[in-house]
Amino acid sequence: MLPAIVIEQPPRLIRAIRLLPGEATPEEAAILADELSGITAMVAEKFTNDRTAEGIARALLLTVGGVSLGLEHLIQSVDEGDLDALDILVGEGAEHAFQAGFRMIRELAALPEDSLVSEYDNDPVYAQRRLKELFVDICTADPGESWSGYERFLGQVQQRQQVQATVKAAEWLRKNHYEGPVKDPDLNSEGVIALAIIFAAEGGARITARTGQSEFERFVKALRKHQPDFEQGWAEFLARIPPALQPVIAERIDIYRKHCTVLEQIGTKATIAQLMTELENYAGSEVDPEYP
């Protein structure tokens, strides 16, 4: 078996610097070196430890990655564009590229990482810690090794945008809950969507984003008595959703259409307690505990 071909992809900054001898003047090279030193000092002060050799070394890796991330975005080319990157470094400056890269990290950090939203997600201290962790994770780039930070950045953007769409759909459902908006800083987005879809099987005339046992009992009795057409209810429900949010809801409807233990067991002799347990598996904390 032939060995796999490994294509070396050093950070874009390093690939551009290699072109300096034939493409830039000594003065331009000196200015670039001075800029990169200044960025490294700033990164060491704010993100690592400017008083230790280890801190400065880590700051250098972050500078290489931060500038490279910005260059990838500015040139919009993954496989080519080293000369374009050098033109940006010489013409616009390394600071311009670094700021572009850091802005990308800041915008990524603002996107939700998980569909479970907590009040702590809006805490400034937590947000700053999350920003730093992302910066270190994506922008740590060894000048002598291949770096995939830009690809990982794009992957995280796509993943978080999907999570954001789920969160927005859940927020809209809460806002339009039939009993009035559900105001709770903690949000189980998947739970809210699951609850709304399950209750929409009865009919899509109203939106249920939060429930308790008494309302669930009424729902179960209604389904067992009237045996409504689930598809009709889901169609009515989906028609009420804003177009931008419909893809998220439609995807979840398709999942529950194929398999939803709550709806499947309603047609059996399962007790309310058993069904309630199944509902909690889907909705979690979005089911209100009710006590005598």
Side-chain angles (χ1 to χ4, degrees):
M1 181 181 293
L2 294 174
I5 298 176
V6 179
I7 300 176
E8 181 185 4
Q9 289 284 13
R12 183 69 74 174
L13 172 62
I14 304 304
R15 290 155 62 183
I17 286 176
R18 289 175 179 174
L19 301 178
L20 275 172
E23 301 292 340
T25 66
E27 182 182 0
E28 289 172 332
I31 292 174
L32 177 58
D34 185 61
E35 266 198 287
L36 291 172
S37 297
I39 295 170
T40 302
M42 181 272 294
V43 172
E45 179 183 356
K46 293 182 177 295
F47 293 98
T48 61
N49 188 334
D50 61 349
R51 297 180 182 275
T52 67
E54 180 184 357
I56 295 174
R58 289 195 294 121
L60 174 61
L61 302 183
L62 291 171
T63 297
V64 171
V67 174
S68 295
L69 183 65
L71 288 173
E72 296 290 359
H73 175 69
L74 293 170
I75 64 177
Q76 293 291 302
S77 173
V78 176
D79 299 321
E80 300 177 357
D82 293 346
L83 187 57
D84 292 334
L86 181 59
D87 288 341
I88 292 172
L89 291 171
V90 172
E92 303 291 338
E95 175 71 20
H96 174 70
F98 180 82
Q99 290 297 337
F102 192 77
R103 184 165 55 250
M104 293 162 67
I105 296 295
R106 188 169 60 240
E107 291 172 354
L108 177 62
L111 294 173
E113 184 178 10
D114 196 294
S115 60
L116 289 170
V117 180
S118 167
E119 60 180 325
Y120 296 108
D121 290 335
N122 296 320
D123 181 84
V125 175
Y126 176 77
Q128 189 64 27
R129 185 186 307 129
R130 185 173 56 204
L131 173 63
K132 180 179 179 180
E133 289 174 352
L134 267 178
F135 179 50
V136 171
D137 177 54
I138 291 177
C139 293
T140 298
D142 190 316
E145 297 181 1
S146 290
W147 177 69
S148 60
Y150 185 57
E151 290 77 11
R152 288 189 289 114
F153 167 81
L154 293 177
Q156 286 212 34
V157 168
Q158 182 179 19
Q159 179 182 357
R160 289 179 181 231
Q161 285 176 340
Q162 292 172 347
V163 172
Q164 184 182 49
T166 300
V167 171
K168 286 186 176 180
E171 289 175 340
W172 186 90
L173 291 171
R174 272 191 167 185
K175 183 178 179 180
N176 291 273
H177 179 57
Y178 76 96
E179 287 186 322
V182 176
K183 298 179 180 179
D184 187 339
D186 293 338
L187 169 66
N188 179 345
S189 301
E190 292 289 357
V192 169
I193 294 173
L195 197 62
I197 290 173
I198 289 171
F199 272 81
E202 182 186 7
R206 70 179 191 177
I207 292 171
T208 301
R210 179 68 67 88
T211 196
Q213 182 163 332
S214 59
E215 171 61 16
F216 183 61
E217 286 180 5
R218 183 210 62 77
F219 167 76
V220 172
K221 290 177 182 177
L223 257 63
R224 285 175 168 173
K225 179 179 180 180
H226 302 293
Q227 298 182 349
D229 182 349
F230 292 179
E231 292 298 333
Q232 181 179 342
W234 287 332
E236 294 172 353
F237 170 63
L238 190 60
R240 297 192 60 188
I241 307 297
L245 304 177
Q246 285 184 4
V248 174
I249 304 299
E251 181 183 7
R252 301 309 190 280
I253 288 176
D254 189 52
I255 292 172
Y256 298 134
R257 173 187 292 119
K258 296 173 182 175
H259 180 65
C260 176
T261 55
V262 176
L263 297 176
E264 290 168 0
Q265 293 184 22
I266 282 178
T268 70
K269 294 182 179 180
T271 65
I272 290 295
Q274 291 171 327
L275 292 171
M276 194 71 179
T277 298
E278 290 297 329
L279 183 67
E280 290 173 346
N281 289 335
Y282 286 89
S285 58
E286 301 303 329
V287 177
D288 274 333
E290 294 182 353
Y291 303 101

